[in-house]
Amino acid sequence: MTSTDGLIKELDDKVLRLLTALQKAEKENLVLRKDIDQLEADLDSSKKELKALENKNKEIRVASALAGSAEHKRLMKHKLNSLVKEIDLCIAEVKKKSI
């Protein structure tokens, strides 16, 4: 019977070690999930900030073009020309459909 008692004790020890390892893994998993949530929130915040900075950059370029920078004047002229072409295409489409 001592052999059986020894096996039972050994098995009991292994089960306790497994349970301890499981609890440790669950705690680590919880910490990692919290880290993921925080990183996702930081990413969303960074994306919003990037979008705001891109809009601000666009506004500054337009203001600079209006202020007289040669590079920005050229860019604005190109942008206006492409918008005029797009409007012309829309007008042509409307005329085609009304005929």
Side-chain angles (χ1 to χ4, degrees):
M1 280 262 170
T2 58
S3 162
T4 307
D5 289 339
L7 289 174
I8 290 174
K9 179 158 177 49
E10 186 180 330
L11 185 60
D12 192 39
D13 289 341
K14 287 182 180 181
V15 168
L16 285 175
R17 280 185 282 175
L18 283 173
L19 285 173
T20 303
L22 176 65
Q23 289 172 347
K24 182 180 177 183
E26 286 175 342
K27 286 179 184 177
E28 186 176 344
N29 191 17
L30 183 63
V31 168
L32 291 173
R33 286 183 190 274
K34 287 180 182 179
D35 287 346
I36 287 172
D37 290 342
Q38 181 62 45
L39 289 171
E40 286 175 343
D42 291 347
L43 179 61
D44 288 343
S45 175
S46 293
K47 284 180 180 180
K48 288 177 184 176
E49 184 178 352
L50 175 64
K51 188 69 173 172
L53 289 172
E54 285 174 342
N55 288 337
K56 183 76 171 176
N57 187 22
K58 199 175 203 181
E59 291 171 4
I60 290 172
R61 284 181 177 218
V62 170
S64 180
L66 295 174
S69 168
E71 171 70 16
H72 290 291
K73 278 186 180 180
R74 184 184 64 74
L75 289 173
M76 289 305 295
K77 185 176 180 181
H78 177 71
K79 180 74 174 171
L80 285 172
N81 283 338
S82 64
L83 288 172
V84 168
K85 287 178 184 177
E86 189 175 337
I87 290 171
D88 287 342
L89 288 173
C90 290
I91 291 171
E93 274 297 310
V94 169
K95 284 182 179 179
K96 267 188 202 177
K97 290 184 179 184
S98 66
I99 293 179

